[in-house]
Amino acid sequence: VEEIASEHWRVYGRNYYARYDYEGVDKAAAEKMMADMGKSIEDGMVGKEFGGFKIKVADIFQYEDPIDGSISKNQGVRWMFEDGSRVIFRLSGTGVAGATVRVYLEKYAGPSEDIFSHAFTVVEPLAAVAKELSGLTERLGREAPTVIT
């Protein structure tokens, strides 16, 4: 499998993914952070640059089921950057205590780029941008995620 994946990356490039979970955070503070991120999107984020990543699309995304066409609104706050990278924030209340903020990070590396690095290393600059966009450290009092997957 490793050989097949490596050959695929050499031809098509590679998408790096990671998810940062901040578990057991204060629910009210997390809800306020999400609302404020949504407001900042409404105020206009497209074209602004953070940490070398220029915002192409910023929205509160919704999911449309391809089978039945149903729409699930308010699924998270999403920033898509000109290089194809994405940062998505979602709030979950399913933890044992408090709330969980999930931050999804995605970065594409073309075939001529470094395609054999560890995913967590590659998305680290996006994680820094996510913290800047959200004010997560100041708002939730967390320097690092509880879990990285």
Side-chain angles (χ1 to χ4, degrees):
V1 173
E2 182 180 345
E3 198 174 299
I4 293 168
S6 295
E7 183 55 34
H8 179 85
W9 296 339
R10 283 186 190 95
V11 174
Y12 301 104
R14 178 179 177 187
N15 284 294
Y16 288 95
Y17 301 95
R19 186 180 87 193
Y20 284 25
D21 290 356
Y22 296 84
E23 299 175 334
V25 300
D26 180 78
K27 187 174 181 181
E31 288 172 342
K32 173 87 168 102
M33 181 184 76
M34 295 294 290
D36 288 348
M37 286 189 292
K39 182 166 178 1
S40 73
I41 285 171
E42 291 172 8
D43 293 343
M45 298 288 291
V46 173
K48 293 184 179 177
E49 192 169 312
F50 297 84
F53 294 91
K54 193 170 187 179
I55 297 173
K56 182 177 180 180
V57 175
D59 62 6
I60 308 292
F61 78 95
Q62 61 186 27
Y63 173 76
E64 184 174 342
D65 190 293
I67 305 302
D68 66 11
S70 62
I71 296 174
S72 299
K73 294 184 178 186
N74 300 315
Q75 293 300 300
V77 179
R78 174 174 62 178
W79 287 276
M80 296 165 45
F81 301 92
E82 288 186 352
D83 72 345
S85 297
R86 296 189 303 173
V87 171
I88 299 171
F89 277 80
R90 296 191 73 198
L91 181 59
S92 171
T94 60
V96 176
T100 298
V101 174
R102 299 190 196 287
V103 183
Y104 298 85
L105 308 164
E106 178 183 339
K107 175 136 181 42
Y108 172 74
S112 63
E113 298 176 65
D114 183 3
I115 54 173
F116 294 105
S117 290
H118 192 282
F120 296 169
T121 303
V122 173
V123 301
E124 220 168 63
L126 275 175
V129 167
K131 281 184 169 183
E132 184 179 353
L133 287 166
S134 65
L136 185 143
T137 301
E138 300 78 24
R139 291 168 170 269
L140 304 181
R142 297 289 180 90
E143 289 291 331
T146 313
V147 178
I148 300 176
T149 54

